[in-house]
Amino acid sequence: MKNECEKRLFIGIPTGREIQPILFDIQTTMAHNPGQIRWVPHDNIHITLSFLGNVSIDKIPKLTKALEDVLNLTHFKAFIEKTGVFPSSRFPQILWLGMGKGRQKMITLHAQIEKTIALFKQIRKKENFIPHVTIGRATRSYRKINVLPFLEYVYSPRELDINLVVLYESQLLQEGIEYKVLTEFLLN
């Protein structure tokens, strides 16, 4: 249970509006039982740059200031243009849309943020960052899902104007996850 003096935080880039036109078509490629995949609500779709975990409320102003100081970057374009799954197609748990052009700039942005917020992170895992947009999560019966149609789905690349980074609070509610914007950081 979360302490009332803490907030569960992550840093991300909202993308739902830009990819919304292709989501229905992509979702219909999947022949599955309705309980096998939980599709992410359009309002919650984003690129996660860093998950901080629970952060003490009194540290949030220092975290915000640290991000303000480092996020003086120039905005850039990125393109969503492929599909993928984590951890593997045999055992898919996360269904995602991946980045092509602009991927390296996103990786650089991620690295800069990770370095800045290291003192505030609850969990420090060293993983390769793969810029992606999670659009669905498999339930416990995920081993029975055929993801090949999803992985072979072809769509026109979707251009994203990366001009905003958001500090979100993630609230775990009975009806699902709700994201609340705490601070928006505009890129130059």
Side-chain angles (χ1 to χ4, degrees), residues 115-126:
K115 184 177 176 185
T116 302
I117 64 167
L119 296 173
F120 301 96
K121 278 188 96 157
Q122 183 181 55
I123 302 165
R124 291 184 181 93
K125 290 193 280 184
K126 191 68 175 167

Side-chain angles (χ1 to χ4, degrees), residues 6 15 37 118-119 123 134 145 184:
E6 297 177 329
T15 58
I37 298 174
L119 296 173
I123 302 165
T134 298
I145 297 173
E184 294 182 338

Side-chain angles (χ1 to χ4, degrees), residues 4-168:
E4 294 300 317
C5 298
E6 297 177 329
K7 291 186 182 226
R8 186 172 185 258
L9 304 180
F10 72 93
I11 298 165
I13 297 170
T15 58
R17 189 179 76 244
E18 290 87 349
I19 65 168
Q20 190 171 358
I22 61 171
L23 289 178
F24 179 76
D25 288 341
I26 289 174
Q27 291 169 354
T28 58
T29 66
M30 297 295 297
H32 66 282
N33 295 327
Q36 287 183 310
I37 298 174
R38 285 188 329 267
W39 297 107
V40 176
H42 294 185
D43 291 346
N44 284 358
I45 292 179
H46 64 277
I47 299 168
T48 300
L49 293 169
S50 184
F51 180 76
L52 287 91
N54 292 341
V55 175
S56 174
I57 290 174
D58 61 342
K59 291 183 179 179
I60 293 174
K62 289 179 183 176
L63 169 64
T64 302
K65 176 68 172 127
L67 287 168
E68 283 174 356
D69 291 347
V70 75
L71 289 175
N72 58 358
L73 304 171
T74 303
H75 72 280
F76 59 95
K77 303 268 187 218
F79 291 82
I80 298 295
E81 54 189 53
K82 59 185 174 180
T83 57
V85 294
F86 293 135
S88 72
S89 59
R90 286 190 62 216
F91 302 105
Q93 293 176 338
I94 304 290
L95 286 78
W96 52 267
L97 303 179
M99 199 160 291
K101 187 176 176 187
R103 184 178 196 276
Q104 193 54 51
K105 288 185 178 185
M106 191 68 70
I107 290 170
T108 301
L109 176 60
H110 163 76
Q112 203 168 19
I113 288 172
E114 283 295 302
K115 184 177 176 185
T116 302
I117 64 167
L119 296 173
F120 301 96
K121 278 188 96 157
Q122 183 181 55
I123 302 165
R124 291 184 181 93
K125 290 193 280 184
K126 191 68 175 167
E127 297 177 341
N128 279 345
F129 175 67
I130 299 172
H132 69 279
V133 177
T134 298
I135 62 167
R137 290 181 171 79
T139 60
R140 294 187 188 272
S141 59
Y142 63 85
R143 290 189 177 116
K144 298 174 185 160
I145 297 173
N146 176 12
V147 294
L148 194 56
F150 174 75
L151 294 173
E152 292 177 342
Y153 185 80
V154 177
Y155 58 94
S156 297
R158 307 307 280 179
E159 181 179 308
L160 304 176
D161 188 15
I162 308 299
N163 59 8
L164 177 72
V165 173
V166 177
L167 175 62
Y168 290 99

